[in-house]
């Protein structure tokens, strides 16, 4: 016989299978009063679960309208909460993590009943499948983001993924080029039509997408400054120009003389390419890209990286990525004898002491010898490449 409970305290009964079932009326996310059930092996377990359910009711937390499977919710989250509001690259990364890792192992779990233990087992399964630590950590981050939104939507009461420790990722220490290596690369790239783009990456530290999105209207050659405002990205299979994310990325930056000369060469060469292309010149009105394909179109970012790698192989120097190459800029600014205050603006350092720390550490003999070679980069012309 069920114990008498106070009015409004719900009921607890013993089932034929020996378990105890608690029941109470609560408000769901649609504002309707619905009867919900909880279970326990003992009366006390059922009473505790029922008390928790009614405690949420008193706090104004509604119960979900339906019991989502995690896979169903993640598909909904990606389509309606990520895709319309986040960058395409972010959506692509999240979608890949959900499709390749999370849904296959956790997709059939009930969203409200997901536990920290199940998430830990999920990470252990990924490790057994030899998924790298960085990918495991990214999968957990995506799951945390999704469950944070589920909490805001009042579909779950807590984020169980946030209770699980992040896999430890041991980052490989990859050192950017020295000035000598960067200069050797630039000497090899000097005849190439995209030489000025590599100068901006190495000397100004611009990202690949920022360099490819630069327009002539963003550059003031007369006053030696530029304002990056756009970037090239691939969206739904097409190359598009998109605004940079933050205002700080669009601050006016000074252009050292070395960069100005490279850009002047590029302007001259692009004029030749435009004349040669004639009616085939394909830059849309107002696009006016500095670095374009031979017929005026946007340059594929991955193609730019392949060009970088080909020139790197030709130069026979240590292999690094375009992303890492841009971190050479502080050293090169010191060798170009760019004034520290100008370098501070380019590097976006909040304090001049950070810039001076780079300047005062550029001292070894090989690097000093490399500085003497900079002048040779200003000799000769830029060719097709």
């Amino acid at each position: 016989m069920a114990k008498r409970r106070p009015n409004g305290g719900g009921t607890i009964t013993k089932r034929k299978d020996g378990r105890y079932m608690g029941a109470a009326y609560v408000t769901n996310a649609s504002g309707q009063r619905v009867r919900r059930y909880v279970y326990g092996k003992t009366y006390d377990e059922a009473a505790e679960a029922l008390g928790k359910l009614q405690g949420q009711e008193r706090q104004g937390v509604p119960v979900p309208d339906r019991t989502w499977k995690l896979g169903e919710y993640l598909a909904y989250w990606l389509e309606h909460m990520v895709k319309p509001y986040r960058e395409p690259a972010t959506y692509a990364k999240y979608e890949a993590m959900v499709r390749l890792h999370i849904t296959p192992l956790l997709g059939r779990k009930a969203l409200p009943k997901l536990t920290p233990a199940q998430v830990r087992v999920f990470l252990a399964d990924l490790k057994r499948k030899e998924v790298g630590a960085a990918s495991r950590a990214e999968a957990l981050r995506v799951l945390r983001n999704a469950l944070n939104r589920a909490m805001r939507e009042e579909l779950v009461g807590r984020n169980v993924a946030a209770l699980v420790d992040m896999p430890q990722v041991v980052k490989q220490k990859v050192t950017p080029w020295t000035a000598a290596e960067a200069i050797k690369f630039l000497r090899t790239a000097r005849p190439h039509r995209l030489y000025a783009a590599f100068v901006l990456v190495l000397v100004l530290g611009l990202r690949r997408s920022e360099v490819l999105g630069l327009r002539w209207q963003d550059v003031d050659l007369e006053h030696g400054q530029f304002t990056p405002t756009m970037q090239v990205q691939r969206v739904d299979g097409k190359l598009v120009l998109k605004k940079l994310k933050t205002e700080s990325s669009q601050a006016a930056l000074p252009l050292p003389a070395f960069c100005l000369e490279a850009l002047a060469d590029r302007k001259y060469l692009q004029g030749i390419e435009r004349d040669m292309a004639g009616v085939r010149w394909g830059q849309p009105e107002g696009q006016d890209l500095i670095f374009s394909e031979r017929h005026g179109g946007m340059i594929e970012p991955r193609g730019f990286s392949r060009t970088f790698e080909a020139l790197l192989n030709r130069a026979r120097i240590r292999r690094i990525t375009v992303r890492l190459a841009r971190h050479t800029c502080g050293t090169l600014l010191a060798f170009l004898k760019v004034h520290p205050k100008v370098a501070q603006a380019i590097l976006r350092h909040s304090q001049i002491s950070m810039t001076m720390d780079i300047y005062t550490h550029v001292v070894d003999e090989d690097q000093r010898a490399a500085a003497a070679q900079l002048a040779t980069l200003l000799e000769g012309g830029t060719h097709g490449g």
Side-chain angles (χ1 to χ4, degrees):
M1 181 177 178
K3 298 180 183 179
R4 177 176 289 277
R5 292 178 60 79
N7 287 338
T11 61
I12 298 178
T13 57
K14 190 172 184 178
R15 292 161 47 99
K16 291 182 179 180
D17 61 6
R19 292 191 302 158
Y20 288 82
M21 178 179 72
Y25 279 96
V26 291
T27 305
N28 68 12
S30 300
Q32 298 173 324
R33 296 292 288 175
V34 293
R35 192 168 176 83
R36 285 289 183 263
Y37 302 92
V38 294
Y39 302 90
K41 291 182 180 179
T42 65
Y43 181 94
D44 288 342
E45 281 186 11
E48 183 180 353
L50 189 60
K52 184 177 179 181
L53 179 67
Q54 292 180 309
Q56 289 179 331
E57 168 82 0
R58 286 190 292 272
Q59 293 170 14
V61 179
V63 298
D65 293 271
R66 55 172 290 192
T67 301
W68 291 80
K69 296 294 185 184
L70 180 61
E72 291 178 318
Y73 170 71
L74 290 174
Y76 173 82
W77 172 70
L78 285 169
E79 185 64 26
H80 298 284
M81 302 175 196
V82 177
K83 193 173 186 178
Y85 305 109
R86 303 298 291 273
E87 291 294 323
T90 300
Y91 168 78
K93 179 174 66 175
Y94 284 9
E95 189 278 333
M97 285 294 149
V98 168
R99 173 170 44 84
L100 297 176
H101 301 312
I102 304 175
T103 297
L105 296 175
L106 288 175
R108 299 183 68 181
K109 304 290 184 186
L111 176 63
K113 296 181 179 179
L114 190 66
T115 66
Q118 289 173 328
V119 177
R120 292 188 191 98
V121 170
F122 158 69
L123 292 174
D125 286 342
L126 288 183
K127 188 173 183 180
R128 275 194 294 273
K129 292 183 176 183
E130 299 184 348
V131 175
S135 293
R136 297 199 306 273
E138 187 61 38
L140 182 57
R141 273 191 290 271
V142 170
L143 184 57
R144 284 180 178 180
N145 287 342
L147 295 182
N148 273 336
R149 187 57 190 244
M151 285 180 64
R152 288 171 57 190
E153 298 286 320
E154 298 176 331
L155 298 176
V156 295
R158 62 176 181 165
N159 186 342
V160 296
L163 304 176
V164 177
D165 292 336
M166 187 67 66
Q168 188 174 7
V169 180
V170 179
K171 292 185 178 180
Q172 279 189 320
K173 187 176 180 181
V174 184
T175 307
W177 278 334
T178 62
E181 289 171 316
I183 291 165
K184 188 175 182 182
F185 172 82
L186 288 176
R187 290 183 69 183
T188 301
R190 185 67 179 93
H192 198 277
R193 60 186 295 273
L194 296 180
Y195 165 72
F198 299 121
V199 168
L200 298 186
V201 168
L202 290 167
V203 178
L204 300 181
L206 292 185
R207 295 175 178 84
R208 178 182 68 177
S209 60
E210 292 174 334
V211 167
L212 298 181
L214 270 181
R215 302 166 300 172
W216 287 114
Q217 64 210 62
D218 302 326
V219 177
D220 185 345
L221 294 177
E222 183 180 350
H223 295 97
Q225 64 180 28
F226 75 108
T227 307
T229 58
M230 308 296 285
Q231 59 183 327
V232 170
Q233 285 193 353
R234 184 168 285 282
V235 178
D236 296 330
K238 295 181 180 180
L239 289 178
V240 296
L241 270 181
K242 292 178 64 70
K243 285 189 175 181
L244 292 174
K245 290 183 182 179
T246 62
E247 290 183 7
S248 63
S249 299
Q250 301 174 24
L253 298 173
L255 279 167
F258 186 62
C259 299
L260 285 169
E261 297 211 21
L263 284 170
D265 283 350
R266 172 62 195 156
K267 194 172 186 69
Y268 174 75
L269 177 61
Q270 191 178 55
I272 295 174
E273 291 177 341
R274 185 185 289 107
D275 291 341
M276 292 179 64
V279 294
R280 293 179 298 166
W281 186 256
Q283 278 202 12
E285 184 81 24
Q287 191 165 287
D288 202 21
L289 292 170
I290 295 176
F291 303 108
S292 55
E293 292 288 3
R294 294 177 188 277
H295 296 151
M298 282 180 276
I299 293 176
E300 163 65 56
R302 285 175 294 185
F304 181 79
S305 292
R306 286 192 291 270
T307 300
F308 174 82
E309 290 169 7
L311 290 169
L312 186 153
N313 290 333
R314 195 180 303 171
R316 296 183 180 180
I317 53 177
R318 181 165 54 91
R319 295 185 63 83
I320 63 173
T321 62
V322 176
R323 179 177 295 179
L324 188 61
R326 73 188 191 89
H327 294 294
T328 309
C329 62
T331 304
L332 284 178
L333 288 170
F335 278 119
L336 289 165
K337 297 188 172 159
V338 173
H339 192 281
K341 291 298 290 183
V342 175
Q344 180 187 3
I346 292 172
L347 297 170
R348 299 172 193 180
H349 287 164
S350 58
Q351 298 178 343
I352 189 65
S353 59
M354 299 170 68
T355 311
M356 293 309 299
D357 186 56
I358 294 173
Y359 271 48
T360 54
H361 281 81
V362 179
V363 292
D364 69 67
E365 289 304 317
D366 285 343
Q367 305 251 31
R368 282 176 180 162
Q373 301 175 33
L374 281 170
T376 65
L377 295 176
L378 302 176
E379 298 173 0
T382 305
H383 308 299

